[in-house]
Amino acid sequence: MRDRAVDPRVSILKDISPLLTSVLDTDSVLEMIIESVTRLMEAKASSLLLVNKSRNKLYFQIATGEAKEEVKKFEIDMGQGIAGHVALTGKPLLVPDVSKDARWDKTISEATGFETRSIACVPIKSGRDVMGVIQIIDREDGQPIHEADMEILSHFSELASVAMERARNYKDIVNENISLKKELESRYEIIGVSKAIETVISDAVKVANSKTTTLITGESGTGKELVARLVHKIGPRRKRKLMVVNCAAFTDTLLESELFGHEKGSFTGAISRKTGVLEVADGGTLFLDEVAEMSPSMQVKLLRVIQEGTFNRVGSASPMQVDIRAIAATNKNLFEEVQNGGFREDLYYRLNVVHIHIPSLRERRDDILVLAQHFLDKYKYIRGPSNLSFSPNTIEVLQNYHWPGNVRELENAVERAVVMGGGGHIEPEDLPFSVVPSGDTAQELLGCTLKEALDSFKRDFLQRNLDHQGSSVKETAKVLGIQRTYLSRLISKYALTTRRSR
Ligand SMILES: Nc1ncnc2c1ncn2[C@@H]1O[C@H](COP(=O)(O)OP(=O)(O)O)[C@@H](O)[C@H]1O
Ligand SMILES: [Mg+2]
């Protein structure tokens, strides 16, 4: 009889064993399990799913690999997919080629774009009870997992089971995970399918747990306030207030008293003592909209609040202390403002610790129709029960329009079309803007004078080129083969929109 070669990984397993079973803090145990198994199996990605008995579901608790953040948004039914199958049967399972296995549920891999060839799952058990599932996807080098790997993986799962059983508060962690899921669900209030909006949302989710000052930029109507609200809502400050202050809406003195409050008689008109927004937002979040409009003297005071958490009520000599998370937004290029001397450099760096930029709607055209449909669903009941829909022409117009007012303009356009239009379809003429369709332009322009037709074409052509070059006058002029100065004149003649003009 031939000696069976001993898997060199057995010695790694022996090394891990005492470590793993000595840790009692559940979080650390879970992390260690997933770290060890990834190393042991040289896995491309691995994840640990925990079972929630009362809901009959599995949650991703920890994941590694490129899609590790995204997979956490998913929950799986018991029995669903390969991990769900293992949770149900309590037996290890290797699927060397997922595309040939009916049990494979490709929802997650399709949603995350994570390529998957093979999957191995082993249960983590307490007696006969399945507490969770360890899932391995492929090997680092892209090769599938082999039957030969399963023995060591099964040994590991036994070890992990012991470690898990020893760790306390396992139940608490499952419950925590459920509330995390609920928070993540609120992200769906932000509609969009583009990569750009996905990045914005995942950045917002990442910063939500910290106190880090965050700057949100983007043209007007792109959803800056919506994102700020998301950050507040899913972070630890959610039980406290989110206060929104639009810096452009106040004069200097009024902004100061709005933010800091004032003592009675501190200025003419201060007939009683007023509590400032900062006090109300203590422990919560302050959203400063249009922060670029703040005067230099207010900028200094804001810097102090952000750095030290202190401020003085107007007319008071004793400083007050607050715990505030600040989120600022602007549709200006704040860095340019700094260079022009309109905005303090030190404040800029303070605000800009994390920067989330929301691209304009025309830069993420994938979102246009889902947003339009979302707003149609929201407003169509104004007309009573209805199955109102967009006509194919309208869809084309919506898709090709340049949306200078972004999502806000789209929402208003759909609302108006619902109110103004008749019939079962929304037609292009129900929309509030005039449109040059991208199809047969000459046909569309029949009835215009030559000058009108040329102007119409020029306007549309120039706008599209500008948009295509990211509003760069220099690049657009180069592509069109004209002087920059001439293009600038055309921009004002045709009232074209560029990022700077919005
Ligand atoms: N991705 C989105 N999904 C759903 N509604 C959106 C989205 N982006 C913006 N909106 C809506 O568009 C309007 C403008 O958004 P807002 O956050 O006020 O923009 P901004 O602060 O950038 O001017 C709001 O009614 C908001 O709810
Ligand atoms: Mg706004």
Side-chain angles (χ1 to χ4, degrees):
M1 219 172 82
R2 213 149 48 94
D3 252 7
R4 248 180 83 208
V6 176
D7 192 325
R9 291 175 293 190
V10 170
S11 73
I12 303 184
L13 200 58
K14 281 189 180 144
D15 286 346
I16 297 171
S17 169
L19 257 176
L20 200 54
T21 45
S22 66
V23 182
L24 279 181
D25 159 60
T26 324
D27 272 331
S28 321
V29 168
L30 295 175
E31 251 169 53
M32 221 185 231
I33 289 176
I34 217 66
E35 212 176 84
S36 321
V37 79
T38 312
R39 192 153 56 90
L40 190 69
M41 305 303 293
E42 294 174 342
K44 184 167 86 174
S46 47
S47 43
L48 197 150
L49 298 95
L50 293 182
V51 175
N52 179 261
K53 279 248 186 68
S54 57
R55 298 196 58 210
N56 230 8
K57 293 211 187 270
L58 279 163
Y59 297 92
F60 281 92
Q61 180 70 32
I62 306 186
T64 70
E66 280 163 33
K68 62 179 179 193
E69 290 305 323
E70 286 141 79
V71 298
K72 289 194 193 154
K73 294 168 197 158
F74 291 90
E75 57 179 32
I76 297 177
D77 289 328
M78 293 293 275
Q80 179 193 354
I82 292 158
H85 185 82
V86 169
L88 205 62
T89 61
K91 298 211 174 68
L93 177 64
L94 168 67
V95 178
D97 182 354
V98 288
S99 67
K100 296 201 180 105
D101 196 298
R103 282 168 298 196
W104 186 45
D105 175 0
K106 52 179 180 272
T107 324
I108 298 176
S109 106
E110 270 178 5
T112 59
F114 193 77
E115 211 178 294
T116 304
R117 285 177 71 184
S118 61
I119 292 184
C121 285
V122 286
I124 303 177
K125 296 206 272 190
S126 162
R128 294 171 64 181
D129 232 21
V130 179
M131 295 185 277
V133 173
I134 300 174
Q135 170 174 278
I136 308 286
I137 299 182
D138 296 337
R139 301 178 61 100
E140 256 169 353
D141 57 8
Q143 290 301 309
I145 303 157
H146 287 291
E147 194 56 54
D149 298 319
M150 287 308 280
E151 191 179 340
I152 194 91
L153 191 57
S154 297
H155 280 311
F156 181 82
S157 85
E158 280 160 28
L159 182 61
S161 302
V162 175
M164 275 280 288
E165 255 198 304
R166 288 177 56 102
R168 288 160 305 185
N169 307 327
Y170 151 71
K171 281 220 172 65
D172 299 346
I173 244 191
V174 176
N175 293 338
E176 234 172 67
N177 195 290
I178 293 169
S179 54
L180 186 77
K181 281 279 321 167
K182 286 211 187 102
E183 289 160 11
L184 284 172
E185 272 158 19
S186 64
R187 77 180 213 102
Y188 293 114
E189 287 165 25
I190 300 186
I191 308 294
V193 292
S194 63
K195 261 254 154 323
I197 206 73
E198 284 292 332
T199 306
V200 166
I201 293 167
S202 78
D203 286 352
V205 171
K206 274 184 222 153
V207 299
N209 274 323
S210 68
K211 197 185 163 178
T212 316
T213 306
T214 303
L215 179 67
I216 306 177
T217 58
E219 289 174 12
S220 183
T222 47
K224 297 186 291 296
E225 186 168 334
L226 205 58
V227 169
R229 288 184 183 281
L230 175 70
V231 170
H232 175 76
K233 198 160 48 179
I234 67 178
R237 294 170 173 261
R238 63 184 164 271
K239 296 208 173 81
R240 299 302 189 85
K241 285 219 160 65
L242 167 81
M243 295 298 288
V244 177
V245 174
N246 184 336
C247 304
F250 296 91
T251 63
D252 215 21
T253 345
L254 284 180
L255 180 60
E256 184 172 2
S257 120
E258 177 75 11
L259 282 175
F260 305 149
H262 60 240
E263 299 296 340
K264 185 174 173 181
S266 53
F267 57 87
T268 331
I271 42 172
S272 61
R273 185 167 140 180
K274 176 189 156 87
T275 310
V277 162
L278 283 181
E279 274 174 81
V280 181
D282 193 10
T285 307
L286 172 68
F287 177 57
L288 288 167
D289 205 0
E290 304 204 39
V291 74
E293 309 311 317
M294 214 176 233
S295 75
S297 70
M298 274 307 290
Q299 289 176 29
V300 180
K301 290 173 183 156
L302 176 62
L303 186 64
R304 181 173 170 228
V305 173
I306 291 175
Q307 275 178 333
E308 301 159 27
T310 53
F311 65 94
N312 287 61
R313 275 202 191 125
V314 179
S316 160
S318 43
M320 307 201 49
Q321 184 81 32
V322 280
D323 167 30
I324 294 277
R325 192 235 175 109
I327 302 177
T330 177
N331 53 14
K332 296 225 165 120
N333 182 332
L334 211 50
F335 187 66
E336 260 173 33
E337 299 294 314
V338 170
Q339 289 176 326
N340 301 338
F343 203 81
R344 288 183 68 98
E345 192 173 4
D346 45 10
L347 180 58
Y348 169 74
Y349 286 110
R350 272 287 162 177
L351 295 178
N352 197 29
V353 182
V354 173
H355 179 192
I356 298 181
H357 176 71
I358 313 180
S360 67
L361 192 53
R362 84 194 78 80
E363 290 167 291
R364 46 181 169 110
R365 291 196 179 267
D366 290 354
D367 291 343
I368 295 175
L369 292 184
V370 275
L371 279 163
Q373 189 58 49
H374 167 74
F375 294 131
L376 181 59
D377 291 339
K378 175 171 167 188
Y379 290 112
K380 65 182 178 189
Y381 298 101
I382 295 176
R383 284 206 202 161
S386 101
N387 37 29
L388 198 58
S389 65
F390 297 111
S391 75
N393 278 343
T394 308
I395 288 180
E396 196 185 330
V397 167
L398 293 172
Q399 188 67 62
N400 291 315
Y401 182 59
H402 61 277
W403 299 113
N406 293 294
V407 185
R408 183 180 291 114
E409 183 183 12
L410 175 59
E411 176 164 5
N412 293 341
V414 173
E415 182 181 3
R416 179 184 184 279
V418 171
V419 174
M420 304 303 281
H425 294 295
I426 290 178
E427 296 296 342
E429 49 277 19
D430 300 329
L431 297 170
F433 41 84
S434 64
V435 177
V436 182
S438 58
D440 187 349
T441 314
Q443 176 69 33
E444 292 292 332
L445 293 170
L446 280 180
C448 294
T449 65
L450 182 59
K451 180 167 185 320
E452 282 165 354
L454 287 174
D455 275 347
S456 164
F457 171 78
K458 272 193 197 167
R459 176 181 297 119
D460 189 41
F461 185 66
L462 291 169
Q463 185 65 59
R464 274 165 202 251
N465 273 279
L466 271 169
D467 293 347
H468 192 64
Q469 300 300 332
S471 289
S472 161
V473 175
K474 188 172 154 198
E475 291 304 315
T476 310
K478 203 156 84 190
V479 171
L480 295 175
I482 57 177
Q483 295 287 327
R484 249 158 79 173
T485 43
Y486 179 48
L487 179 57
S488 298
R489 275 207 305 274
L490 291 174
I491 289 174
S492 49
K493 175 177 172 191
Y494 290 117
L496 301 177
T497 40
T498 63
R499 273 197 203 136
R500 299 221 45 179
S501 66
R502 282 182 213 116

